Amino acid sequence: MSSECTIQNVFNRFYPAYESVHPVSGIQRKAAYHIMNCKTGAFGVNVSVCEDCGYIQIHYNSCRDRCCPMCQEFPKEKWVDARREDLLDAPYFHVVFTVPEELNPVIYSNQKLLYNALYHASSATLGELAADPKYLGADIGYIFILHTWGSAMNFHPHIHAIVLGGGLDSGNHWKDKGEDFFLPIKVISRMFRGKYLSELKALWQDGRLEFHGSAEPYQNHYAFKELLDTCYGKEWVPYCKKPFQGAESVIRYLGKYTHRIAISNHRIKNMTDSTVTFSVKDYKNQGRWKEMTISGEEFIRRFLMHVPPKRFVRIRHYGLLSSRVKNKKVTLCRNLLGCKKYLSRLKSLDASAIIKLLYGKDICTCNSCGGRIVPLTAQQLSKYLRC
């Protein structure tokens, strides 16, 4: 029994047996290989030597896989820091778009198509309603981040949207409604439901959907139509949180969602020869944390469900914040609001300087004597070892 373990430990223990009896896609197999071999030397090493005392320091390369829990912190910090330059001193809101659980089997069988449909329906809903003079009458900006998991690593696709609470009208004047969210939740719900189901129906009619596993019954025309009718009859419940308290809080909040994976190392509590215990939120009990124990095989299955399709872009920018127009539009908004520009702290720094700034660790200083550490090339290392 192990009381201190990581996701890498869990994969090394249970993945080989899981792969031998369960079908695994190429992208899932690649993610598992990366997780099991991250920082083990499988992806190469960097060797440095102290100029003063000759102390050799070895650093094992990471896998850089976006599903690896050990490789998210550095990219997250750089991404969040780059977003500082796009921030305005204006209200921001957090909106979550979810779909009924009845659709989950079909979505899982058609991940790329139906994840994209989530982005399309959510974006069209916010963009059209914000442009309506009845609500705001302006072009707004928003960032979408796809998550596919619940706290217990169950399949639960949903989009987190960070929404700028104001925008530019047709005359390029700034408009907002202060701290009040400008769109009624019921209106968002019904428009999002209509747009998503319309795209789902169009993909079905074009014969582009596949049905595997628990989605197989929906190959039948009547069963699929009954599924659509059920979803049309349900209230889809988007969620909107209170506005953020200033631009800096938006920066901190983004870091919680952008590079998150299905489960992090600190939630793994225990591992035995056959089970894994991890902490989950109990939403039926006011979101309190509790421990859940499942088989190692089930843990691997749940984790691999959330490996995104190859080259799938999870973080997308729209409206005023889209890459095509944001430099011009955000600058105009900043001038209209008379607010300062938040500058990137990391843009001009190399990796060693970023690590020193963020974590207070100087990787260019010898741990033994405090002298200067310099990297060795392969040729220098070979010569050094011969000596």
Side-chain angles (χ1 to χ4, degrees), residues 220 245 254 351:
N220 180 278
Q245 298 301 312
L254 280 171

Side-chain angles (χ1 to χ4, degrees), residues 138-155:
D139 180 20
I140 61 172
Y142 36 98
I143 300 173
F144 283 172
I145 305 154
L146 175 71
H147 285 182
T148 60
W149 55 84
S151 180
M153 290 196 296
N154 52 304
F155 189 67

Side-chain angles (χ1 to χ4, degrees), residues 83-97:
R83 302 286 76 72
R84 294 172 64 90
E85 298 192 346
D86 303 334
L87 286 174
L88 300 170
D89 286 323
Y92 285 84
F93 300 89
H94 177 198
V95 181
V96 182
F97 290 91

Side-chain angles (χ1 to χ4, degrees), residues 229-292:
D229 291 341
T230 299
C231 293
Y232 272 116
K234 296 190 75 169
E235 285 290 340
W236 294 24
V237 187
Y239 173 69
C240 179
K241 290 190 71 170
K242 293 179 180 179
F244 296 100
Q245 298 301 312
E248 288 292 341
S249 67
V250 179
I251 296 173
R252 291 192 298 270
Y253 196 82
L254 280 171
K256 292 171 57 179
Y257 286 93
T258 52
H259 292 71
R260 183 181 286 183
I261 61 171
I263 188 170
S264 54
N265 280 329
H266 77 271
R267 288 177 56 199
I268 309 295
K269 301 303 179 184
N270 190 27
M271 180 178 70
T272 69
D273 288 341
S274 60
T275 66
V276 180
T277 300
F278 58 100
S279 58
V280 299
K281 269 189 177 180
D282 185 357
Y283 291 103
K284 294 181 180 179
N285 189 21
Q286 300 178 337
R288 294 177 180 172
W289 289 95
K290 67 177 184 179
E291 292 190 354
M292 172 182 285

Side-chain angles (χ1 to χ4, degrees), residues 12 16 18 39-40 108 122 131 156 165 169 187 196 258 269 291 320 326 339 360-361 371:
N12 282 325
Y18 178 87
K39 297 184 179 179
T40 64
Y108 190 74
S122 304
H156 174 52
D169 64 15
V187 176
Y196 189 79
T258 52
K269 301 303 179 184
E291 292 190 354
L320 300 180
K326 74 175 180 180
C339 59
K361 182 177 180 181

